[in-house]
PDB file of all heavy atoms in Angstrom:
ATOM      1  N   ALA A1183     -43.299  12.466  26.495  1.00  0.00           N
ATOM      2  CA  ALA A1183     -43.744  13.444  25.478  1.00  0.00           C
ATOM      3  C   ALA A1183     -42.582  14.357  25.073  1.00  0.00           C
ATOM      4  O   ALA A1183     -42.556  14.841  23.959  1.00  0.00           O
ATOM      5  CB  ALA A1183     -44.851  14.285  26.125  1.00  0.00           C
ATOM      6  N   ALA A1184     -41.653  14.604  26.033  1.00  0.00           N
ATOM      7  CA  ALA A1184     -40.625  15.631  25.732  1.00  0.00           C
ATOM      8  C   ALA A1184     -39.338  15.042  25.156  1.00  0.00           C
ATOM      9  O   ALA A1184     -38.540  15.722  24.579  1.00  0.00           O
ATOM     10  CB  ALA A1184     -40.243  16.388  26.962  1.00  0.00           C
ATOM     11  N   VAL A1185     -39.148  13.723  25.357  1.00  0.00           N
ATOM     12  CA  VAL A1185     -37.828  13.164  25.003  1.00  0.00           C
ATOM     13  C   VAL A1185     -37.623  13.228  23.523  1.00  0.00           C
ATOM     14  O   VAL A1185     -36.476  13.504  23.022  1.00  0.00           O
ATOM     15  CB  VAL A1185     -37.686  11.729  25.546  1.00  0.00           C
ATOM     16  CG1 VAL A1185     -38.585  10.735  24.865  1.00  0.00           C
ATOM     17  CG2 VAL A1185     -36.219  11.262  25.403  1.00  0.00           C
ATOM     18  N   THR A1186     -38.636  12.921  22.666  1.00  0.00           N
ATOM     19  CA  THR A1186     -38.483  13.064  21.257  1.00  0.00           C
ATOM     20  C   THR A1186     -38.317  14.518  20.776  1.00  0.00           C
ATOM     21  O   THR A1186     -37.560  14.892  19.873  1.00  0.00           O
ATOM     22  CB  THR A1186     -39.651  12.448  20.528  1.00  0.00           C
ATOM     23  OG1 THR A1186     -40.903  12.977  20.998  1.00  0.00           O
ATOM     24  CG2 THR A1186     -39.752  10.925  20.762  1.00  0.00           C
ATOM     25  N   VAL A1187     -39.122  15.394  21.473  1.00  0.00           N
ATOM     26  CA  VAL A1187     -39.005  16.810  21.122  1.00  0.00           C
ATOM     27  C   VAL A1187     -37.584  17.334  21.405  1.00  0.00           C
ATOM     28  O   VAL A1187     -37.008  18.099  20.666  1.00  0.00           O
ATOM     29  CB  VAL A1187     -40.134  17.611  21.880  1.00  0.00           C
ATOM     30  CG1 VAL A1187     -39.880  19.131  21.602  1.00  0.00           C
ATOM     31  CG2 VAL A1187     -41.459  17.199  21.517  1.00  0.00           C
ATOM     32  N   GLY A1188     -37.087  16.872  22.606  1.00  0.00           N
ATOM     33  CA  GLY A1188     -35.783  17.331  22.981  1.00  0.00           C
ATOM     34  C   GLY A1188     -34.754  16.823  22.000  1.00  0.00           C
ATOM     35  O   GLY A1188     -33.694  17.527  21.726  1.00  0.00           O
ATOM     36  N   GLY A1189     -34.867  15.604  21.527  1.00  0.00           N
ATOM     37  CA  GLY A1189     -33.960  15.122  20.510  1.00  0.00           C
ATOM     38  C   GLY A1189     -33.839  15.973  19.262  1.00  0.00           C
ATOM     39  O   GLY A1189     -32.832  16.247  18.766  1.00  0.00           O
ATOM     40  N   VAL A1190     -35.102  16.353  18.759  1.00  0.00           N
ATOM     41  CA  VAL A1190     -35.045  17.169  17.538  1.00  0.00           C
ATOM     42  C   VAL A1190     -34.541  18.570  17.869  1.00  0.00           C
ATOM     43  O   VAL A1190     -33.698  19.119  17.092  1.00  0.00           O
ATOM     44  CB  VAL A1190     -36.528  17.243  17.091  1.00  0.00           C
ATOM     45  CG1 VAL A1190     -36.616  18.299  15.909  1.00  0.00           C
ATOM     46  CG2 VAL A1190     -37.076  15.931  16.559  1.00  0.00           C
ATOM     47  N   LEU A1191     -34.880  19.107  19.021  1.00  0.00           N
ATOM     48  CA  LEU A1191     -34.350  20.526  19.339  1.00  0.00           C
ATOM     49  C   LEU A1191     -32.859  20.490  19.492  1.00  0.00           C
ATOM     50  O   LEU A1191     -32.191  21.482  19.069  1.00  0.00           O
ATOM     51  CB  LEU A1191     -35.048  21.006  20.569  1.00  0.00           C
ATOM     52  CG  LEU A1191     -36.563  21.335  20.426  1.00  0.00           C
ATOM     53  CD1 LEU A1191     -37.134  21.792  21.808  1.00  0.00           C
ATOM     54  CD2 LEU A1191     -36.726  22.334  19.414  1.00  0.00           C
ATOM     55  N   ALA A1192     -32.290  19.443  20.088  1.00  0.00           N
ATOM     56  CA  ALA A1192     -30.889  19.373  20.341  1.00  0.00           C
ATOM     57  C   ALA A1192     -30.090  19.162  19.081  1.00  0.00           C
ATOM     58  O   ALA A1192     -28.892  19.545  19.027  1.00  0.00           O
ATOM     59  CB  ALA A1192     -30.519  18.247  21.362  1.00  0.00           C
ATOM     60  N   ASP A1193     -30.730  18.663  18.046  1.00  0.00           N
ATOM     61  CA  ASP A1193     -30.046  18.540  16.749  1.00  0.00           C
ATOM     62  C   ASP A1193     -30.292  19.783  15.954  1.00  0.00           C
ATOM     63  O   ASP A1193     -29.550  20.073  14.967  1.00  0.00           O
ATOM     64  CB  ASP A1193     -30.553  17.308  16.008  1.00  0.00           C
ATOM     65  CG  ASP A1193     -29.841  15.993  16.441  1.00  0.00           C
ATOM     66  OD1 ASP A1193     -28.864  16.109  17.095  1.00  0.00           O
ATOM     67  OD2 ASP A1193     -30.468  14.945  16.220  1.00  0.00           O
ATOM     68  N   VAL A1200     -30.346  23.682  24.893  1.00  0.00           N
ATOM     69  CA  VAL A1200     -31.460  22.761  25.248  1.00  0.00           C
ATOM     70  C   VAL A1200     -31.298  22.297  26.613  1.00  0.00           C
ATOM     71  O   VAL A1200     -32.315  22.151  27.357  1.00  0.00           O
ATOM     72  CB  VAL A1200     -31.481  21.616  24.211  1.00  0.00           C
ATOM     73  CG1 VAL A1200     -32.431  20.568  24.585  1.00  0.00           C
ATOM     74  CG2 VAL A1200     -31.829  22.108  22.836  1.00  0.00           C
ATOM     75  N   GLY A1238     -36.936  14.731  30.346  1.00  0.00           N
ATOM     76  CA  GLY A1238     -36.880  14.000  29.088  1.00  0.00           C
ATOM     77  C   GLY A1238     -36.163  14.864  27.976  1.00  0.00           C
ATOM     78  O   GLY A1238     -35.408  14.291  27.192  1.00  0.00           O
ATOM     79  N   ALA A1239     -36.368  16.150  28.024  1.00  0.00           N
ATOM     80  CA  ALA A1239     -35.794  16.975  26.947  1.00  0.00           C
ATOM     81  C   ALA A1239     -34.296  17.079  27.092  1.00  0.00           C
ATOM     82  O   ALA A1239     -33.509  17.192  26.122  1.00  0.00           O
ATOM     83  CB  ALA A1239     -36.377  18.390  26.949  1.00  0.00           C
ATOM     84  N   CYS A1240     -33.746  17.031  28.336  1.00  0.00           N
ATOM     85  CA  CYS A1240     -32.335  17.204  28.565  1.00  0.00           C
ATOM     86  C   CYS A1240     -31.544  15.903  28.340  1.00  0.00           C
ATOM     87  O   CYS A1240     -30.320  15.998  28.053  1.00  0.00           O
ATOM     88  CB  CYS A1240     -32.045  17.778  29.914  1.00  0.00           C
ATOM     89  SG  CYS A1240     -32.156  16.611  31.276  1.00  0.00           S
ATOM     90  N   PRO A1242     -31.432  13.472  25.830  1.00  0.00           N
ATOM     91  CA  PRO A1242     -30.627  13.357  24.526  1.00  0.00           C
ATOM     92  C   PRO A1242     -29.693  14.467  24.308  1.00  0.00           C
ATOM     93  O   PRO A1242     -28.625  14.386  23.756  1.00  0.00           O
ATOM     94  CB  PRO A1242     -31.752  13.286  23.505  1.00  0.00           C
ATOM     95  CG  PRO A1242     -32.948  13.934  24.144  1.00  0.00           C
ATOM     96  CD  PRO A1242     -32.795  13.583  25.611  1.00  0.00           C
ATOM     97  N   ALA A1243     -29.972  15.683  24.908  1.00  0.00           N
ATOM     98  CA  ALA A1243     -29.066  16.790  24.716  1.00  0.00           C
ATOM     99  C   ALA A1243     -27.784  16.562  25.522  1.00  0.00           C
ATOM    100  O   ALA A1243     -26.685  16.865  25.018  1.00  0.00           O
ATOM    101  CB  ALA A1243     -29.743  18.024  25.211  1.00  0.00           C
ATOM    102  N   PHE A1329     -40.914  19.462  12.195  1.00  0.00           N
ATOM    103  CA  PHE A1329     -40.581  18.597  13.269  1.00  0.00           C
ATOM    104  C   PHE A1329     -40.701  17.124  12.843  1.00  0.00           C
ATOM    105  O   PHE A1329     -39.793  16.315  13.154  1.00  0.00           O
ATOM    106  CB  PHE A1329     -41.436  18.935  14.503  1.00  0.00           C
ATOM    107  CG  PHE A1329     -41.229  17.939  15.613  1.00  0.00           C
ATOM    108  CD1 PHE A1329     -40.297  18.165  16.579  1.00  0.00           C
ATOM    109  CD2 PHE A1329     -42.049  16.795  15.729  1.00  0.00           C
ATOM    110  CE1 PHE A1329     -40.060  17.256  17.602  1.00  0.00           C
ATOM    111  CE2 PHE A1329     -41.917  15.962  16.775  1.00  0.00           C
ATOM    112  CZ  PHE A1329     -40.936  16.137  17.763  1.00  0.00           C
ATOM    113  N   ALA A1467     -28.599  13.462  18.699  1.00  0.00           N
ATOM    114  CA  ALA A1467     -29.625  13.657  19.780  1.00  0.00           C
ATOM    115  C   ALA A1467     -30.920  12.963  19.483  1.00  0.00           C
ATOM    116  O   ALA A1467     -31.615  12.380  20.351  1.00  0.00           O
ATOM    117  CB  ALA A1467     -29.792  15.131  20.029  1.00  0.00           C
ATOM    118  N   ARG A1468     -31.355  12.966  18.168  1.00  0.00           N
ATOM    119  CA  ARG A1468     -32.558  12.276  17.770  1.00  0.00           C
ATOM    120  C   ARG A1468     -32.482  10.802  17.923  1.00  0.00           C
ATOM    121  O   ARG A1468     -33.465  10.146  18.402  1.00  0.00           O
ATOM    122  CB  ARG A1468     -32.941  12.659  16.278  1.00  0.00           C
ATOM    123  CG  ARG A1468     -33.566  14.014  16.188  1.00  0.00           C
ATOM    124  CD  ARG A1468     -33.638  14.447  14.715  1.00  0.00           C
ATOM    125  NE  ARG A1468     -32.433  14.939  14.209  1.00  0.00           N
ATOM    126  CZ  ARG A1468     -32.206  15.360  12.982  1.00  0.00           C
ATOM    127  NH1 ARG A1468     -33.122  15.280  12.124  1.00  0.00           N
ATOM    128  NH2 ARG A1468     -31.022  15.778  12.619  1.00  0.00           N
ATOM    129  N   SER A1471     -32.655   9.990  21.579  1.00  0.00           N
ATOM    130  CA  SER A1471     -33.955  10.134  22.082  1.00  0.00           C
ATOM    131  C   SER A1471     -34.814   8.879  21.835  1.00  0.00           C
ATOM    132  O   SER A1471     -35.678   8.506  22.558  1.00  0.00           O
ATOM    133  CB  SER A1471     -34.655  11.305  21.492  1.00  0.00           C
ATOM    134  OG  SER A1471     -35.039  11.197  20.101  1.00  0.00           O
TER     135      SER A1471
END
Side-chain angles (χ1 to χ4, degrees):
V1185 69
T1186 53
V1187 176
V1190 173
L1191 291 178
D1193 281 341
V1200 174
C1240 76
F1329 173 87
R1468 278 169 284 179
S1471 71

